[in-house]
Amino acid sequence: MPENILIAIAWPYSNAEIHVGNITGSHLPGDIVARYHRLKGDNVLMVSGTDSHGTPVTLRADVEGVSVEEVYKKYHNGFIDLFQQAGISYDLFTSTHTENHFKVSQSVFLALRKNGFLFKQFSKQWYSPSADKFLPDRYVEGTCYICGFEGARSDQCDRCGNVLEPEKLINPRAKTGDGALEMRDTEHYYLDLSKLEPEVKTFLRERAAYMRDTVLGESLGKIESEGLKPRSITRDLDWGIPLPENEPGWETKKLYVWFEAVIGYLSAPIEWAQISGQKEAWREWWANPAAKQYYFIGKDNIFFHTSLWPAELMGVGGQFVEVFTGEKGVRLTLPHDVPANQFMNLEGEKISGSRNWAVWGRDFLTRFDPDALRYYLTVNMPETKDSDWDWKEFVARNNNELVATWGNLANRVLAFCYKNWDGRVPEIDPAALRPADLSLLAVIEAGFDSVGKELDAVHLRAAVGEAMRLATEVNKYLDTAAPWFEIKTDKDAAAKSVYTALKAIDSLKVLFAPFLPFTSEKLHTFFNYDTPIFGEQYVETVKDSLGEHMVLRYRLARSGAAPALAGGAREPQIKLWKPSNLRPGAALRQPGPLFKKLEESVADEERARLGK
Ligand SMILES: [Zn+2]
């Protein structure tokens, strides 16, 4: 039975470009798992989008003197370009600044209020009389009352690292220069998380068997030590999602970005369903207790995804589905797993955009191939602890593993076969294969279980390591069989060896495909198959009452050829996660190399770019 798998990936903030730490933290692991499940024939939906609201975006616009739309669209369009180049195969990559996301977020707000999980309360906030408005914490800086640092943010000091109480800040001033500031009372809505605490704890404990220790430990530990406290869900802001109903005095308030950005995991599938002409199809992942939702995020976002987002969904209860479809009593599906990653450092130091101590995704891809990036980021993924991008290691892994172990294996066997068997797979009788041939094929066949098991558990380093181990097995087999010598004395024996190796490579191509989609697809064409392994990414413009936004989409390999199915169902991707069924005598295409060997000097050249 195909499963319904939602791949939900952290929404990148629209005030900075994406670097390798972000890619390995969330986008790439999500893509690998999505591609694997598509190959298995599962019904996958992979979504994310640009987090377009929040004060870092407006602050950047204010400082640069441009409109907020300009800032968020610049980064949003850059993200879409990167994901196409790196093969991050979103079914929908959208934005939080859409009419649909506004409506879905407001519906969640209304459902929570109706169910009694919201209350109003006054708090103090810096106010600028000259600008006649409240200023968000990030807009205010001053002197830290703990360490005396003069450039402290009103809510946090970057020198001593303490979280600050904004009203205690010494000499507060607005970053935008809005005159003297004063503290004023302002009223906000709060989500009463304390009421949902028992349910959230149960939710976490039910997932203890498979959630990563780092994720479960941090989440339960925080709740047990501090409890789930009410949290404000509105802000005094110009830019963002307004409250659903105008109440006097509330016209200038917006939904707090922490509250609404996570709702994107629900609004994006709804948008995807609408623009795909299958309005109700989002329910396959959201109103379906059997659906599995995986959230790919970095460690800084764990609590939002393991505790606050599930609490929002629990508080909404059956209200949301009722409002959106009229059907009563259907609750929203809760997350299955949150395989959050730790951080990736760079050459032993923390990645820092402002110091340009970073490897930027789009810049990297102007000099190197996407699968070289994907491979290094997978073998080095910070799954259980922080990892480090090391340029020397990048070159070594590329040359010793991708090129020497896997790429040369495929290229050497295909080229040898193409030349000596007239561009065809040797015409052998599979029943006549020798014990060593059958034994290798059995080892490779078992890889669909062993690699698959690791992918099911989101152990991606182990999964790619297992695929590479299997490539080593084929190399060992060839060292012994040595068809390059065998052919001089016994062409039939050489034909069996070449057939066996080709069949193993044809299987390995699929085992590597979730990690290395570009080169697996290339290898697939050398084998001369009619249909590709994967579908296509494409860009579309969606118009709504807020204007228009660009979205990235994905078309399944087979959906173009088959008619759309009724009832919101999608034609599944053709199932390819199975051993090769290579036909003796089948025609091949002219093969070529899959990967590029890199000069040792690359490491020094790239290091020289850092920090400048
Ligand atoms: Zn301080």
mmCIF file of all heavy atoms in Angstrom, residues 225-257:
data_model
loop_
_atom_site.group_PDB
_atom_site.id
_atom_site.type_symbol
_atom_site.label_atom_id
_atom_site.label_comp_id
_atom_site.label_asym_id
_atom_site.label_seq_id
_atom_site.Cartn_x
_atom_site.Cartn_y
_atom_site.Cartn_z
ATOM 1 N N SER A 225 11.013 21.239 32.648
ATOM 2 C CA SER A 225 11.656 22.197 33.557
ATOM 3 C C SER A 225 10.912 23.539 33.615
ATOM 4 O O SER A 225 10.803 24.141 34.665
ATOM 5 C CB SER A 225 13.118 22.404 33.166
ATOM 6 O OG SER A 225 13.196 23.035 31.915
ATOM 7 N N GLU A 226 10.394 24.007 32.474
ATOM 8 C CA GLU A 226 9.774 25.343 32.459
ATOM 9 C C GLU A 226 8.265 25.311 32.308
ATOM 10 O O GLU A 226 7.592 26.305 32.565
ATOM 11 C CB GLU A 226 10.333 26.171 31.287
ATOM 12 C CG GLU A 226 11.814 26.401 31.336
ATOM 13 C CD GLU A 226 12.355 26.954 30.012
ATOM 14 O OE1 GLU A 226 11.558 27.491 29.220
ATOM 15 O OE2 GLU A 226 13.574 26.832 29.781
ATOM 16 N N GLY A 227 7.734 24.188 31.830
ATOM 17 C CA GLY A 227 6.309 24.129 31.525
ATOM 18 C C GLY A 227 6.006 24.865 30.229
ATOM 19 O O GLY A 227 6.830 25.627 29.733
ATOM 20 N N LEU A 228 4.855 24.607 29.649
ATOM 21 C CA LEU A 228 4.437 25.348 28.453
ATOM 22 C C LEU A 228 3.694 26.586 28.932
ATOM 23 O O LEU A 228 2.622 26.485 29.515
ATOM 24 C CB LEU A 228 3.529 24.485 27.581
ATOM 25 C CG LEU A 228 4.181 23.586 26.538
ATOM 26 C CD1 LEU A 228 3.116 22.849 25.739
ATOM 27 C CD2 LEU A 228 5.083 24.375 25.592
ATOM 28 N N LYS A 229 4.281 27.747 28.674
ATOM 29 C CA LYS A 229 3.671 28.995 29.161
ATOM 30 C C LYS A 229 2.905 29.678 28.032
ATOM 31 O O LYS A 229 3.260 29.529 26.870
ATOM 32 C CB LYS A 229 4.774 29.936 29.645
ATOM 33 C CG LYS A 229 5.449 29.452 30.909
ATOM 34 C CD LYS A 229 6.372 30.536 31.449
ATOM 35 C CE LYS A 229 7.408 29.954 32.381
ATOM 36 N NZ LYS A 229 8.784 30.197 31.948
ATOM 37 N N PRO A 230 1.881 30.478 28.398
ATOM 38 C CA PRO A 230 1.173 31.242 27.362
ATOM 39 C C PRO A 230 2.164 32.090 26.568
ATOM 40 O O PRO A 230 3.161 32.577 27.124
ATOM 41 C CB PRO A 230 0.221 32.128 28.170
ATOM 42 C CG PRO A 230 0.025 31.405 29.460
ATOM 43 C CD PRO A 230 1.316 30.707 29.740
ATOM 44 N N ARG A 231 1.890 32.248 25.302
ATOM 45 C CA ARG A 231 2.813 32.962 24.424
ATOM 46 C C ARG A 231 2.019 33.918 23.548
ATOM 47 O O ARG A 231 0.986 33.530 22.993
ATOM 48 C CB ARG A 231 3.498 31.917 23.532
ATOM 49 C CG ARG A 231 4.960 32.127 23.335
ATOM 50 C CD ARG A 231 5.516 30.974 22.515
ATOM 51 N NE ARG A 231 6.658 31.474 21.786
ATOM 52 C CZ ARG A 231 7.927 31.205 22.103
ATOM 53 N NH1 ARG A 231 8.207 30.399 23.085
ATOM 54 N NH2 ARG A 231 8.902 31.712 21.400
ATOM 55 N N SER A 232 2.509 35.145 23.393
ATOM 56 C CA SER A 232 1.734 36.104 22.599
ATOM 57 C C SER A 232 1.797 35.722 21.121
ATOM 58 O O SER A 232 2.827 35.263 20.624
ATOM 59 C CB SER A 232 2.254 37.524 22.812
ATOM 60 O OG SER A 232 3.597 37.614 22.419
ATOM 61 N N ILE A 233 0.689 35.891 20.451
ATOM 62 C CA ILE A 233 0.609 35.514 19.028
ATOM 63 C C ILE A 233 0.266 36.701 18.142
ATOM 64 O O ILE A 233 -0.007 36.536 16.957
ATOM 65 C CB ILE A 233 -0.404 34.366 18.790
ATOM 66 C CG1 ILE A 233 -1.811 34.774 19.191
ATOM 67 C CG2 ILE A 233 0.016 33.103 19.541
ATOM 68 C CD1 ILE A 233 -2.871 33.860 18.597
ATOM 69 N N THR A 234 0.257 37.922 18.717
ATOM 70 C CA THR A 234 0.066 39.117 17.881
ATOM 71 C C THR A 234 1.172 40.115 18.204
ATOM 72 O O THR A 234 1.797 40.041 19.253
ATOM 73 C CB THR A 234 -1.311 39.783 18.131
ATOM 74 O OG1 THR A 234 -1.440 40.082 19.519
ATOM 75 C CG2 THR A 234 -2.446 38.880 17.691
ATOM 76 N N ARG A 235 1.409 41.044 17.281
ATOM 77 C CA ARG A 235 2.431 42.084 17.427
ATOM 78 C C ARG A 235 1.903 43.391 16.862
ATOM 79 O O ARG A 235 1.027 43.391 15.997
ATOM 80 C CB ARG A 235 3.689 41.754 16.608
ATOM 81 C CG ARG A 235 4.656 40.710 17.110
ATOM 82 C CD ARG A 235 4.748 40.597 18.541
ATOM 83 N NE ARG A 235 5.997 41.044 19.133
ATOM 84 C CZ ARG A 235 6.124 41.237 20.456
ATOM 85 N NH1 ARG A 235 5.095 41.094 21.237
ATOM 86 N NH2 ARG A 235 7.278 41.597 20.957
ATOM 87 N N ASP A 236 2.502 44.499 17.308
ATOM 88 C CA ASP A 236 2.194 45.802 16.695
ATOM 89 C C ASP A 236 3.152 45.986 15.527
ATOM 90 O O ASP A 236 4.317 46.330 15.736
ATOM 91 C CB ASP A 236 2.406 46.926 17.716
ATOM 92 C CG ASP A 236 1.459 46.802 18.885
ATOM 93 O OD1 ASP A 236 0.282 47.150 18.715
ATOM 94 O OD2 ASP A 236 1.894 46.321 19.951
ATOM 95 N N LEU A 237 2.681 45.724 14.336
ATOM 96 C CA LEU A 237 3.547 45.759 13.152
ATOM 97 C C LEU A 237 2.785 46.264 11.941
ATOM 98 O O LEU A 237 1.561 46.145 11.875
ATOM 99 C CB LEU A 237 4.026 44.340 12.803
ATOM 100 C CG LEU A 237 5.004 43.617 13.725
ATOM 101 C CD1 LEU A 237 5.163 42.187 13.257
ATOM 102 C CD2 LEU A 237 6.344 44.324 13.722
ATOM 103 N N ASP A 238 3.530 46.830 10.973
ATOM 104 C CA ASP A 238 2.892 47.261 9.723
ATOM 105 C C ASP A 238 2.797 46.111 8.728
ATOM 106 O O ASP A 238 1.898 46.048 7.916
ATOM 107 C CB ASP A 238 3.724 48.370 9.051
ATOM 108 C CG ASP A 238 3.907 49.563 9.980
ATOM 109 O OD1 ASP A 238 2.971 49.831 10.747
ATOM 110 O OD2 ASP A 238 4.984 50.198 9.925
ATOM 111 N N TRP A 239 3.777 45.224 8.778
ATOM 112 C CA TRP A 239 3.937 44.222 7.720
ATOM 113 C C TRP A 239 3.619 42.842 8.290
ATOM 114 O O TRP A 239 4.234 42.422 9.272
ATOM 115 C CB TRP A 239 5.387 44.266 7.225
ATOM 116 C CG TRP A 239 5.820 43.203 6.262
ATOM 117 C CD1 TRP A 239 6.700 42.189 6.504
ATOM 118 C CD2 TRP A 239 5.433 43.070 4.906
ATOM 119 N NE1 TRP A 239 6.881 41.435 5.387
ATOM 120 C CE2 TRP A 239 6.117 41.946 4.378
ATOM 121 C CE3 TRP A 239 4.556 43.777 4.063
ATOM 122 C CZ2 TRP A 239 5.971 41.522 3.053
ATOM 123 C CZ3 TRP A 239 4.413 43.351 2.749
ATOM 124 C CH2 TRP A 239 5.116 42.236 2.260
ATOM 125 N N GLY A 240 2.657 42.148 7.682
ATOM 126 C CA GLY A 240 2.317 40.820 8.181
ATOM 127 C C GLY A 240 0.844 40.530 7.961
ATOM 128 O O GLY A 240 0.180 41.200 7.164
ATOM 129 N N ILE A 241 0.347 39.545 8.664
ATOM 130 C CA ILE A 241 -1.028 39.096 8.465
ATOM 131 C C ILE A 241 -1.937 39.763 9.492
ATOM 132 O O ILE A 241 -1.738 39.596 10.699
ATOM 133 C CB ILE A 241 -1.118 37.560 8.605
ATOM 134 C CG1 ILE A 241 -0.127 36.889 7.644
ATOM 135 C CG2 ILE A 241 -2.537 37.077 8.364
ATOM 136 C CD1 ILE A 241 -0.115 35.382 7.722
ATOM 137 N N PRO A 242 -2.941 40.521 9.020
ATOM 138 C CA PRO A 242 -3.849 41.180 9.964
ATOM 139 C C PRO A 242 -4.742 40.163 10.675
ATOM 140 O O PRO A 242 -4.893 39.034 10.211
ATOM 141 C CB PRO A 242 -4.679 42.108 9.081
ATOM 142 C CG PRO A 242 -4.569 41.551 7.707
ATOM 143 C CD PRO A 242 -3.278 40.796 7.630
ATOM 144 N N LEU A 243 -5.325 40.587 11.784
ATOM 145 C CA LEU A 243 -6.275 39.712 12.469
ATOM 146 C C LEU A 243 -7.501 39.549 11.570
ATOM 147 O O LEU A 243 -7.823 40.431 10.782
ATOM 148 C CB LEU A 243 -6.681 40.311 13.821
ATOM 149 C CG LEU A 243 -5.540 40.555 14.797
ATOM 150 C CD1 LEU A 243 -6.082 40.721 16.219
ATOM 151 C CD2 LEU A 243 -4.541 39.426 14.787
ATOM 152 N N PRO A 244 -8.201 38.416 11.707
ATOM 153 C CA PRO A 244 -9.297 38.141 10.783
ATOM 154 C C PRO A 244 -10.460 39.120 10.885
ATOM 155 O O PRO A 244 -11.099 39.412 9.899
ATOM 156 C CB PRO A 244 -9.733 36.730 11.156
ATOM 157 C CG PRO A 244 -9.115 36.421 12.469
ATOM 158 C CD PRO A 244 -7.907 37.284 12.585
ATOM 159 N N GLU A 245 -10.742 39.625 12.068
ATOM 160 C CA GLU A 245 -11.857 40.572 12.168
ATOM 161 C C GLU A 245 -11.328 41.849 12.769
ATOM 162 O O GLU A 245 -10.619 41.820 13.755
ATOM 163 C CB GLU A 245 -12.946 40.007 13.092
ATOM 164 C CG GLU A 245 -13.630 38.799 12.508
ATOM 165 C CD GLU A 245 -14.080 37.830 13.582
ATOM 166 O OE1 GLU A 245 -13.985 38.188 14.778
ATOM 167 O OE2 GLU A 245 -14.517 36.738 13.214
ATOM 168 N N ASN A 246 -11.706 42.961 12.161
ATOM 169 C CA ASN A 246 -11.243 44.228 12.709
ATOM 170 C C ASN A 246 -12.006 44.571 13.967
ATOM 171 O O ASN A 246 -13.219 44.718 13.956
ATOM 172 C CB ASN A 246 -11.412 45.338 11.666
ATOM 173 C CG ASN A 246 -10.231 45.346 10.724
ATOM 174 O OD1 ASN A 246 -9.167 44.836 11.049
ATOM 175 N ND2 ASN A 246 -10.431 45.918 9.554
ATOM 176 N N GLU A 247 -11.258 44.664 15.061
ATOM 177 C CA GLU A 247 -11.855 45.147 16.293
ATOM 178 C C GLU A 247 -11.259 46.535 16.496
ATOM 179 O O GLU A 247 -10.095 46.747 16.160
ATOM 180 C CB GLU A 247 -11.446 44.261 17.466
ATOM 181 C CG GLU A 247 -11.899 42.832 17.336
ATOM 182 C CD GLU A 247 -11.307 41.962 18.452
ATOM 183 O OE1 GLU A 247 -11.145 42.454 19.587
ATOM 184 O OE2 GLU A 247 -11.004 40.802 18.165
ATOM 185 N N PRO A 248 -12.019 47.461 17.048
ATOM 186 C CA PRO A 248 -11.454 48.803 17.266
ATOM 187 C C PRO A 248 -10.161 48.701 18.073
ATOM 188 O O PRO A 248 -10.101 47.992 19.076
ATOM 189 C CB PRO A 248 -12.558 49.519 18.060
ATOM 190 C CG PRO A 248 -13.806 48.759 17.774
ATOM 191 C CD PRO A 248 -13.405 47.341 17.501
ATOM 192 N N GLY A 249 -9.138 49.384 17.605
ATOM 193 C CA GLY A 249 -7.854 49.361 18.308
ATOM 194 C C GLY A 249 -6.948 48.212 17.892
ATOM 195 O O GLY A 249 -5.805 48.150 18.295
ATOM 196 N N TRP A 250 -7.459 47.278 17.083
ATOM 197 C CA TRP A 250 -6.651 46.123 16.704
ATOM 198 C C TRP A 250 -6.247 46.163 15.234
ATOM 199 O O TRP A 250 -5.625 45.228 14.729
ATOM 200 C CB TRP A 250 -7.416 44.815 16.981
ATOM 201 C CG TRP A 250 -7.513 44.527 18.452
ATOM 202 C CD1 TRP A 250 -8.396 45.099 19.327
ATOM 203 C CD2 TRP A 250 -6.687 43.652 19.220
ATOM 204 N NE1 TRP A 250 -8.173 44.628 20.596
ATOM 205 C CE2 TRP A 250 -7.121 43.727 20.555
ATOM 206 C CE3 TRP A 250 -5.612 42.814 18.911
ATOM 207 C CZ2 TRP A 250 -6.532 42.998 21.579
ATOM 208 C CZ3 TRP A 250 -5.032 42.080 19.922
ATOM 209 C CH2 TRP A 250 -5.482 42.174 21.254
ATOM 210 N N GLU A 251 -6.568 47.282 14.549
ATOM 211 C CA GLU A 251 -6.323 47.347 13.100
ATOM 212 C C GLU A 251 -4.845 47.253 12.765
ATOM 213 O O GLU A 251 -4.475 46.778 11.700
ATOM 214 C CB GLU A 251 -6.879 48.661 12.510
ATOM 215 C CG GLU A 251 -8.376 48.840 12.634
ATOM 216 C CD GLU A 251 -8.792 49.466 13.967
ATOM 217 O OE1 GLU A 251 -7.925 49.587 14.870
ATOM 218 O OE2 GLU A 251 -9.974 49.827 14.117
ATOM 219 N N THR A 252 -3.987 47.750 13.659
ATOM 220 C CA THR A 252 -2.555 47.769 13.326
ATOM 221 C C THR A 252 -1.827 46.512 13.786
ATOM 222 O O THR A 252 -0.624 46.382 13.576
ATOM 223 C CB THR A 252 -1.870 48.970 14.004
ATOM 224 O OG1 THR A 252 -2.058 48.839 15.418
ATOM 225 C CG2 THR A 252 -2.437 50.278 13.520
ATOM 226 N N LYS A 253 -2.544 45.600 14.435
ATOM 227 C CA LYS A 253 -1.867 44.409 14.954
ATOM 228 C C LYS A 253 -1.791 43.325 13.876
ATOM 229 O O LYS A 253 -2.657 43.219 13.029
ATOM 230 C CB LYS A 253 -2.614 43.857 16.169
ATOM 231 C CG LYS A 253 -3.038 44.945 17.132
ATOM 232 C CD LYS A 253 -2.425 44.806 18.481
ATOM 233 C CE LYS A 253 -2.864 45.992 19.346
ATOM 234 N NZ LYS A 253 -2.032 46.173 20.512
ATOM 235 N N LYS A 254 -0.736 42.549 13.979
ATOM 236 C CA LYS A 254 -0.535 41.453 13.014
ATOM 237 C C LYS A 254 -0.292 40.158 13.770
ATOM 238 O O LYS A 254 0.135 40.179 14.934
ATOM 239 C CB LYS A 254 0.692 41.748 12.134
ATOM 240 C CG LYS A 254 0.596 43.037 11.309
ATOM 241 C CD LYS A 254 -0.409 42.921 10.187
ATOM 242 C CE LYS A 254 -0.421 44.150 9.285
ATOM 243 N NZ LYS A 254 -0.858 45.381 9.944
ATOM 244 N N LEU A 255 -0.504 39.040 13.099
ATOM 245 C CA LEU A 255 -0.172 37.751 13.710
ATOM 246 C C LEU A 255 1.344 37.657 13.848
ATOM 247 O O LEU A 255 2.080 38.020 12.925
ATOM 248 C CB LEU A 255 -0.701 36.591 12.845
ATOM 249 C CG LEU A 255 -2.225 36.484 12.715
ATOM 250 C CD1 LEU A 255 -2.604 35.294 11.828
ATOM 251 C CD2 LEU A 255 -2.899 36.340 14.092
ATOM 252 N N TYR A 256 1.778 37.193 14.987
ATOM 253 C CA TYR A 256 3.213 37.081 15.275
ATOM 254 C C TYR A 256 3.808 36.038 14.314
ATOM 255 O O TYR A 256 3.214 35.002 14.057
ATOM 256 C CB TYR A 256 3.385 36.616 16.725
ATOM 257 C CG TYR A 256 4.667 37.034 17.410
ATOM 258 C CD1 TYR A 256 4.707 37.127 18.797
ATOM 259 C CD2 TYR A 256 5.823 37.320 16.699
ATOM 260 C CE1 TYR A 256 5.865 37.501 19.467
ATOM 261 C CE2 TYR A 256 6.975 37.698 17.357
ATOM 262 C CZ TYR A 256 7.007 37.786 18.734
ATOM 263 O OH TYR A 256 8.152 38.142 19.394
ATOM 264 N N VAL A 257 4.998 36.319 13.822
ATOM 265 C CA VAL A 257 5.550 35.480 12.758
ATOM 266 C C VAL A 257 5.811 34.030 13.224
ATOM 267 O O VAL A 257 5.639 33.087 12.464
ATOM 268 C CB VAL A 257 6.789 36.154 12.125
ATOM 269 C CG1 VAL A 257 7.970 36.116 13.040
ATOM 270 C CG2 VAL A 257 7.104 35.558 10.766
#
